[in-house]
Amino acid sequence: MNKAITDGLVLMPPTFEAGLNLWSREDGRPGQGSWAGQPNAAFVPADQDFGGCLELQKTAATTKIRCFQQIPFQPGMYLRVTTRVKCLSGALPELRIAGYAAASNGANVATAVQTGPTVTLPGYGQVVTLSAIIGSGNRGGVGMVWGTAPVYGHLGIDLTGANGGILRIDDITVEDVTEVFLRNMLTWVDVRDFGAKGDGIADDTAAFIAADQAAGQRSVLVSAGTYRLTGNVTFASDVRFEGTVTMPATARLSCTRNFDLNTYTAAFGNEETGFRKAIQALFAFTDHADLDLSGRRIALTAPVDVAATAGITSYQIRRVIRNGQIEAVANAAWTTATATSVATYSTAQPTRLTGVANIANILPGSLVTGTGVGREVYVRSVNVAGGTLELSQPLFAAAGTRTFTFSRFRYLIDLSGFENLGRLELRGLDFDCGGISSALILPRIGLALQIDQCNFNRPKDRAITSSGTGCQGLMVDRCNFLSNEQDQNVQDRTTIALNVNANDSKIRGNRIVRFATFAVLAGTGHMLIGNHFFQGDNTTGGTRRAGVVLTSTNVKTLFTGNYIDNSFIEWSNEHDANPAFSDSFSFGGLTITGNIFTVNDVASHFRWIVVTPRGPGHFLHGLSVTDNVFRTLNGNIDRVEKVDETFATLDGGRTRVLDFSANAFHGVSQITVSPLIIQHDQASVADTWAVEAGPFLPFGCRARNVTSLVTEGAITNASNVTQWVMPHVLTERGPDKTQIQVRWPAAVKGRALLTIRCDNPT
């Protein structure tokens, strides 16, 4: 730093040749006496050592030489005052650099040190250099500490000691030496001081590394310019970018002390490149685990393939990306890649397609659609040489050779290049898809990924996709999903918020608005707690679609505290290559408790809980629907549950452990209860009372058990004489096996209360 250069300050006092009237014999203030015309002072135009100089005889105890010129002074400035002196004859005096420190009003700043170190002349004719540094700070080498009060000075020298000596004094110079103190003063080092060119051509890698090593506890400054780096650079110190850097795609920049998007944006000149390079560094095994996007909006012109960017395919160390908005910029990079191919499917290899035509055009992560394909089946991997595809799920009815369509959606964040990724957390991110892109695709294999307090705004096709088992133990908490199809009728929507292939997902506290379907969940062990998903439209008597689809039979899954709004829960086995029941588990392990179910403006055939078996022989074995509230608006529905018999029916004779109780029904024509407490009034005498439980029993199940029978009041014969007799019961009577027959030893009449179950309780 040189203020004479950078700020145009005039620091140099006049030469003696310019006139001795410009030099004061006092403090240099206006009106004080000059050296012009003094009998003991004269200008010598040609000295063998100095050229032009001042010749002066010392006659006063302290002889002062000060320039009348006001030499500017600023806080943080360091000025070096220099001259050369020799004694020709007479007594040898002492000399020192000196000056008058002036405040803005011209008054002397008494606290400023206004004389430098004293020097004694060693002999006659010997040239001695006088020098002193004036500065605002008390630093090593500063002989005259002025502080911050002075704004200018009248600078020169003092002659002290013995009188009578004749001296010659060279011109007095003043130079800015602030740069000498700059490094220690500003606590940073500049990469240019270590050889960086900043011209965008020279390789500045070594200079960056050297600057960081020299910084210690100070910061590194990348001053203005464009710096070409050809290799990895890690800053162990704080770094500030005034200039920008360019690097090969494979080279990493790791800013370990200020690892955030602001730093990387400054380093690379724009948010998108900065974001990609920060992602690269995040997975580089350096000492930062958390990438803060600094609340910035990042406009992406193409998907971020995280594995390719990081240059790795497996990572199991906790990493966090948080606090920012990621936005898609419309262009061709977001276009869905679609391929149609003929392939062969065999149930002996339930997750493989063979003999795939046109396979080179099919991308991993593509959605598979076609006859006999369940919802949310994806391509896990592609073997071009072998002509085979690995699928995320089996196909329920696609055996043989047929045509399939493969659609590869484009995602803002694409993790599918990871063969194995665990412990990644996405927190407080806004995926602003804008109907241009999808949001997030998970790794092929993964464990315990967390997505917390994120906003998924208008995804084009999908918000969160799992094309493999990267969803194992997935946690999605307190997120907001806003559809791109909110103005469309339900039956016209195609977007899905998320899908899961593996086990043990925790989906909690989310809000999901008007998707075609909220979640398609394969696997088991899921917990859905406190979510609100609503999928209605503005059509009276309109269609409604499944909000959550379960695609395994024995799901061991919990729905608690959810708000199921204008949608329903569907339970299917569409991801089973052999969907007919054999000797495995059938539909069971599902608990639906403490939820709110609501719907409005729908036809009476709407149902909230739908079981859709894809093959025959299945039955319910372990279903609890308790303590829920069912409510309709603008019209009643017939009942709350049903079996969708499009593909197959349930075997009601094998129902086990089904609890459908303690629910509240509003706007539902027929309530559903099991165990069912039913009152039967027999007005005329009969030895067989037929009790019809069918309308009350869920899913059209049979009346399989009676766990209690209590008579209320007397049981009488035709003569109204009380009969002290004991009946027995026969279950599964009537054409639909939904009746109970109460058999008496004689014809009687009266009232009985029966508790009827549609299941075997064990």
Side-chain angles (χ1 to χ4, degrees):
M1 180 186 296
N2 189 305
K3 292 289 187 177
I5 297 174
T6 60
D7 292 355
L9 301 182
V10 178
L11 302 178
M12 190 67 69
T15 63
F16 292 126
E17 184 180 9
L20 297 186
N21 60 313
L22 302 177
W23 289 90
S24 170
R25 47 195 167 83
E26 299 180 61
D27 291 326
R29 302 182 66 189
Q32 293 183 338
S34 75
W35 282 102
Q38 295 300 305
N40 61 333
F43 174 70
V44 176
D47 179 86
Q48 62 181 359
D49 294 313
F50 304 145
C53 64
L54 171 66
E55 183 175 291
L56 180 145
Q57 183 178 25
K58 182 179 184 301
T59 58
T62 300
T63 300
K64 298 182 178 181
I65 303 173
R66 304 282 191 274
C67 66
F68 283 113
Q69 179 179 322
Q70 297 179 357
I71 307 298
F73 182 80
Q74 299 174 358
M77 177 181 283
Y78 291 81
L79 302 177
R80 180 163 58 198
V81 183
T82 306
T83 190
R84 295 184 298 162
V85 180
K86 65 182 177 181
C87 184
L88 301 180
S89 63
L92 295 171
E94 296 176 340
L95 302 99
R96 65 194 180 195
I97 299 295
Y100 177 88
S104 58
N105 61 0
N108 184 243
V109 179
T111 56
V113 178
Q114 297 175 72
T115 58
T118 298
V119 175
T120 301
L121 296 181
Y124 300 111
Q126 297 184 36
V127 177
V128 174
T129 299
L130 296 180
S131 182
I133 294 177
I134 301 170
S136 59
N138 186 13
R139 298 183 177 276
V142 178
M144 300 166 64
V145 180
W146 278 20
T148 59
V151 297
Y152 66 88
H154 299 287
L155 305 181
I157 63 173
D158 286 344
L159 285 66
T160 61
N163 290 334
I166 297 176
L167 299 90
R168 286 188 176 178
I169 304 167
D170 197 5
D171 288 329
I172 297 171
T173 63
V174 178
E175 57 182 324
D176 186 352
V177 293
T178 304
E179 60 187 8
V180 174
F181 299 89
L182 189 60
R183 184 171 297 167
N184 291 329
M185 181 175 70
L186 297 181
T187 69
W188 48 255
V189 297
D190 193 326
V191 294
R192 288 184 178 271
D193 293 334
F194 294 85
K197 300 292 186 183
D199 59 5
I201 300 172
D203 183 1
D204 293 325
T205 305
F208 273 52
I209 294 172
D212 180 66
Q213 291 173 344
Q217 297 300 312
R218 293 169 290 171
S219 300
V220 176
L221 172 66
V222 179
S223 51
T226 300
Y227 299 84
R228 176 174 166 259
L229 306 179
T230 60
N232 297 333
V233 173
T234 296
F235 284 106
S237 310
D238 286 325
V239 58
R240 180 164 65 90
F241 289 89
E242 292 178 351
T244 59
V245 300
T246 62
M247 303 179 77
T250 56
R252 296 188 304 272
L253 177 68
S254 297
C255 305
T256 62
R257 296 293 183 183
N258 41 345
F259 185 67
D260 55 57
L261 184 64
N262 281 340
T263 298
Y264 279 81
T265 297
F268 291 94
N270 66 80
E271 286 94 347
E272 180 171 11
T273 305
F275 177 59
R276 293 176 186 273
K277 298 302 283 188
I279 288 284
Q280 181 185 49
L282 181 67
F283 290 94
F285 297 97
T286 50
D287 63 350
H288 36 256
D290 183 326
L291 173 57
D292 183 359
L293 301 187
S294 308
R296 296 181 72 111
R297 179 181 65 87
I298 306 163
L300 294 181
T301 58
V304 178
D305 185 336
V306 177
T309 300
I312 55 177
T313 58
S314 181
Y315 202 85
Q316 295 297 317
I317 300 173
R318 178 179 178 267
R319 287 293 182 262
V320 181
I321 304 173
R322 62 181 177 88
N323 185 31
Q325 182 184 61
I326 306 169
E327 175 187 82
V329 176
N331 59 57
W334 305 106
T335 303
T336 299
T338 302
T340 300
S341 297
V342 174
T344 300
Y345 181 73
S346 170
T347 58
Q349 295 179 301
T351 57
R352 177 174 294 178
L353 291 179
T354 61
V356 182
N358 194 31
I359 191 169
N361 293 326
I362 299 172
L363 300 177
S366 295
L367 176 70
V368 185
T369 54
T371 303
V373 181
R375 284 164 283 194
E376 297 302 277
V377 176
Y378 289 88
V379 176
R380 291 190 62 176
S381 62
V382 179
N383 183 344
V384 175
T388 62
L389 301 177
E390 297 299 322
L391 305 175
S392 63
Q393 295 293 338
L395 311 183
F396 74 92
T401 300
R402 61 187 65 209
T403 300
F404 300 93
T405 299
F406 304 89
S407 302
R408 182 55 161 87
F409 307 132
R410 305 302 186 179
Y411 299 82
L412 290 170
I413 301 297
D414 191 330
L415 303 174
S416 65
F418 283 100
E419 291 294 338
N420 197 333
L421 175 65
R423 302 173 63 190
L424 175 65
E425 300 176 20
L426 304 176
R427 299 186 177 278
L429 299 179
D430 182 2
F431 293 87
D432 190 1
C433 302
I436 299 168
S437 73
S438 295
L440 173 67
I441 184 169
L442 302 180
R444 297 174 192 175
I445 300 174
L447 179 64
L449 275 68
Q450 298 185 47
I451 304 169
D452 184 22
Q453 298 187 74
C454 292
N455 187 61
F456 295 87
N457 187 27
R458 299 178 57 209
K460 177 177 177 286
D461 298 292
R462 300 292 186 270
I464 302 172
T465 291
S466 175
S467 63
T469 58
C471 50
Q472 177 70 39
L474 176 68
M475 289 166 270
V476 182
D477 294 300
R478 297 177 293 174
C479 294
N480 191 29
F481 296 82
L482 303 175
S483 169
N484 187 49
E485 302 175 313
Q486 295 191 45
D487 295 334
Q488 296 186 26
N489 291 332
V490 169
Q491 63 271 22
D492 298 325
R493 298 174 191 161
T494 60
T495 55
I496 294 176
L498 68 93
N499 78 290
V500 171
N501 291 311
N503 302 324
D504 306 333
S505 70
K506 284 79 177 173
I507 303 172
R508 299 167 293 201
N510 302 288
R511 181 176 182 269
I512 304 91
V513 183
R514 289 194 170 186
F515 283 77
T517 297
F518 164 31
V520 177
L521 306 178
T524 65
H526 306 303
M527 300 172 63
L528 292 93
I529 302 172
N531 303 288
H532 182 189
F533 47 100
F534 48 102
Q535 296 172 195
D537 56 26
N538 299 322
T539 302
T540 301
T543 300
R544 297 293 180 264
R545 296 175 62 166
V548 173
V549 180
L550 304 172
T551 69
S552 301
T553 50
N554 193 270
V555 292
K556 62 173 184 181
T557 289
L558 171 70
F559 283 82
T560 296
N562 298 285
Y563 193 162
I564 298 94
D565 187 341
N566 277 278
S567 60
F568 56 90
I569 298 171
E570 183 176 0
W571 194 3
S572 170
N573 63 329
E574 61 197 71
H575 292 158
D576 189 343
N578 298 289
F581 178 74
S582 55
D583 57 355
S584 59
F585 292 117
S586 195
F587 286 91
L590 177 61
T591 299
I592 302 173
T593 184
N595 302 283
I596 299 170
F597 291 83
T598 190
V599 72
N600 59 278
D601 297 310
V602 294
S604 61
H605 56 74
F606 170 83
R607 304 288 185 268
W608 274 298
I609 302 172
V610 179
V611 179
T612 309
R614 297 293 173 126
H618 283 283
F619 54 94
L620 296 173
H621 181 189
L623 170 62
S624 177
V625 182
T626 61
D627 299 291
N628 301 288
V629 175
F630 298 96
R631 179 182 176 184
T632 67
L633 298 171
N634 302 331
N636 284 19
I637 63 172
D638 297 332
R639 52 193 304 121
V640 302
E641 89 306 329
K642 76 171 183 179
V643 178
D644 184 338
E645 298 182 348
T646 302
F647 302 95
T649 62
L650 289 178
D651 183 353
R654 301 185 66 183
T655 306
R656 297 169 60 189
V657 195
L658 194 162
D659 186 359
F660 212 113
S661 63
N663 300 296
F665 300 87
H666 305 280
V668 179
S669 300
Q670 175 61 60
I671 68 171
T672 305
V673 184
S674 179
L676 167 66
I677 300 175
I678 189 169
Q679 174 182 303
H680 178 76
D681 291 303
Q682 187 69 30
S684 59
V685 296
D687 58 1
T688 299
W689 296 2
V691 181
E692 180 57 64
F696 296 95
L697 299 180
F699 303 105
C701 290
R702 303 176 186 181
R704 300 194 63 201
N705 284 286
V706 176
T707 57
S708 70
L709 188 157
V710 178
T711 61
E712 184 177 309
I715 300 299
T716 62
N717 59 18
S719 303
N720 293 323
V721 176
T722 299
Q723 303 297 298
W724 305 97
V725 292
M726 184 70 179
H728 67 277
V729 297
L730 298 176
T731 60
E732 298 187 62
R733 304 290 102 176
D736 296 323
K737 299 186 178 182
T738 56
Q739 290 183 3
I740 297 293
Q741 291 184 355
V742 182
R743 297 287 184 90
W744 300 89
V748 293
K749 56 185 174 67
R751 172 178 291 178
L753 299 176
L754 294 86
T755 301
I756 302 171
R757 298 184 67 102
C758 67
D759 62 341
N760 282 341
T762 59

